[in-house]
Every structure is written in structure tokens, then in C-alpha cells.
DNA sequence: CAAACGATTTTCT
DNA sequence: GAAAATCGTTTGG
């Protein structure tokens, strides 16, 4: 089933980030359906999190979508090349978001390979936020889109991830955030080869 | 209006 | 393992 809006509007962004593991992210653009199971996420706790674009309740054109209520997509361009896909959570005016860092390819693998310019399936196809977004065809134009379709949705297909297989760790690429960089806001499925390596760990 | 920087990935040594 | 690629957003003048 497609996750209802009530899944996203809860207030504990860390809990939602953990529960997103094992869910399936599905995109459908121009008739091409692609999907993958979420294996790695990172929580960004808005106003109180130095690593978040919305730290200190900063509010700009770019971050505006994070202030919407949960259930919307926040797509942001990083380093001029990479599209990073986030899930907006919590209620209106609370800028919490969860970065989807990696998925395990399920459907539409051929289409994903084509978008990535590859000819065979490797663990690097969707390991890492920029690579994953490209494989799914997500672009900055999808910012603000609903996560209940028609183009993007997240489904619960009954996959249960054992608590012992969920690992909490520090986030990647946020060293500039000083002490907040040490928060264990990153979650991933232990042993899954599609989890990105990042820089640390 | 101009300058600096980044929630990364890829490629070369 | 290290460095480059590359451009929208943000910040300062």
C-alpha cells in the first residue's frame, strides 16, 4: 500500500527515518516505472540541526518546501550536478526532512541503467543520494510533489526490517555542522550492499 | 550585481 | 587516496 499522509506528519523525524528502511520508493515518469527498497536514510531536524538547510528556521525560496506539512518531496541540487531527494516530514511550519541516500533496485532496472549510462547492474547504480536520484529520474522539478503519486510514491510492501539489522550512525558530508555532525541521525540496513560508503565509517 | 560554497560522484594517480 | 567537475542558492556590497 502507499504510505498515507499520516505516516509523514508525525513529529518524531528519527522514528520516521528508521521506519522508512524497507519501504519501497516508486517513481513513474513518462510511462517508465522504476522502484527500489530504501536501505539508507538520514534525518535532518530542521531548526535545531546545523546540518539542515533550515537551521535556525532559515526560510528561503529553496527551503520553503520543507516548511510544508509532511508527505512532500524536497529535491535539491548539490555541487551543481547531483539531485538529492528528501522526504518532508512533520507538520506545517516545522522544516524536518529525511534524505534518502540509497535504495536496492527492484523494478525498471533497465530504465535505471539507461539513465545512469551503465550496461549492467552494480551496487553503485543506486548507492548514494545523487546516483539514486538519477537512476529514478528525479530532478529538481519534482520539488514539492506529493509522495502519494502520481509521479512519486513510497509503498509499504510488507517488508519488515529486524531491529538488529538497523544501524544508527553519524551522517555523511556534514562535517561543517560542527557538533551536530556527530548526531546519530543516519540509518541503514546492516550488510546491504547498496548502502553507500560515504566518506567516513 | 558579484562571489563563495556545498546533504556528492567520478576519475585519475 | 586525492582532486576535479559544475551551477543554483545564499550572502555580502
Amino acid at each position: 500500500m502507499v504510505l498515507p499522509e499520516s505516516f509523514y506528519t508525525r513529529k518524531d523525524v528519527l522514528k520516521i527515518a528508521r521506519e522508512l528502511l524497507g519501504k519501497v520508493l516508486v517513481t513513474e515518469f513518462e510511462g517508465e516505472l522504476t522502484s527500489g527498497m530504501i536501505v539508507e536514510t538520514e534525518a535532518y531536524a530542521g531548526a535545531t540541526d546545523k546540518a539542515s538547510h533550515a537551521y535556525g528556521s532559515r526560510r528561503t525560496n529553496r527551503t520553503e518546501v520543507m516548511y510544508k506539512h509532511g508527505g512532500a518531496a524536497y529535491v535539491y541540487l548539490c555541487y551543481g550536478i547531483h539531485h538529492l531527494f528528501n522526504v518532508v516530514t512533520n507538520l506545517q511550519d516545522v522544516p524536518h526532512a529525511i534524505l534518502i541516500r540509497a535504495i536496492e533496485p527492484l523494478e525498471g532496472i533497465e530504465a535505471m541503467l539507461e539513465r545512469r549510462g551503465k550496461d549492467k547492474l552494480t551496487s553503485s547504480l543506486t548507492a548514494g543520494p545523487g546516483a539514486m536520484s538519477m537512476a529514478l529520474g528525479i530532478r529538481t522539478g519534482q520539488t514539492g510533489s506529493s509522495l502519494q503519486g502520481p509521479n512519486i510514491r513510497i509503498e509499504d510492501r510488507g517488508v519488515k526490517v529486524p531491529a538488529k539489522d538497523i544501524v544508527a550512525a553519524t551522517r555523511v558530508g556534514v562535517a561543517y555542522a560542527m557538533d551536530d555532525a556527530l548526531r546519530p541521525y543516519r540509518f541503514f540496513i546492516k550488510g546491504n550492499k547498496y548502502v553507500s560508503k560515504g566518506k567516513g565509517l
Side-chain angles (χ1 to χ4, degrees), chain A residues 7 28 37 47 74 81 91 105 107 128 145 152 158 160-161 165 168 183-184 188 195:
Chain A
F7 179 88
E28 188 169 359
M37 183 179 75
Y74 170 43
I81 312 173
L91 302 174
E107 297 159 281
S145 296
I152 306 176
K160 290 284 194 298
V161 181
D165 287 344
R183 297 197 198 188
F188 60 92
V195 172

Side-chain angles (χ1 to χ4, degrees), chain A residues 121-163:
Chain A
L121 180 60
T122 69
S123 62
S124 65
L125 178 66
T126 55
M132 179 212 75
S133 299
M134 180 181 287
L136 292 177
I138 293 172
R139 298 189 299 279
T140 54
Q142 267 75 53
T143 278
S145 296
S146 165
L147 295 176
Q148 273 110 249
N151 298 315
I152 306 176
R153 58 185 180 274
I154 297 179
E155 300 178 1
D156 182 348
R157 297 192 180 176
V159 176
K160 290 284 194 298
V161 181

Side-chain angles (χ1 to χ4, degrees), chain A residues 48-112:
Chain A
T48 62
D49 185 353
K50 291 193 185 70
S52 170
H53 291 153
Y55 173 63
S57 295
R58 201 167 16 147
R59 193 160 188 158
T60 65
N61 269 347
R62 179 176 61 160
T63 61
E64 187 64 30
V65 65
M66 280 203 279
Y67 289 83
K68 294 177 62 168
H69 61 76
Y74 170 43
V75 185
Y76 149 74
L77 185 65
C78 186
Y79 292 87
I81 312 173
H82 307 291
H83 301 269
L84 276 53
F85 174 76
N86 302 252
V87 172
V88 176
T89 71
N90 215 305
L91 302 174
Q92 178 91 221
D93 296 325
V94 183
H96 286 187
I98 298 169
L99 171 68
I100 307 301
R101 292 188 55 84
I103 63 172
E104 177 177 329
L106 291 179
E107 297 159 281
I109 291 177
E110 299 221 341
M112 290 194 270

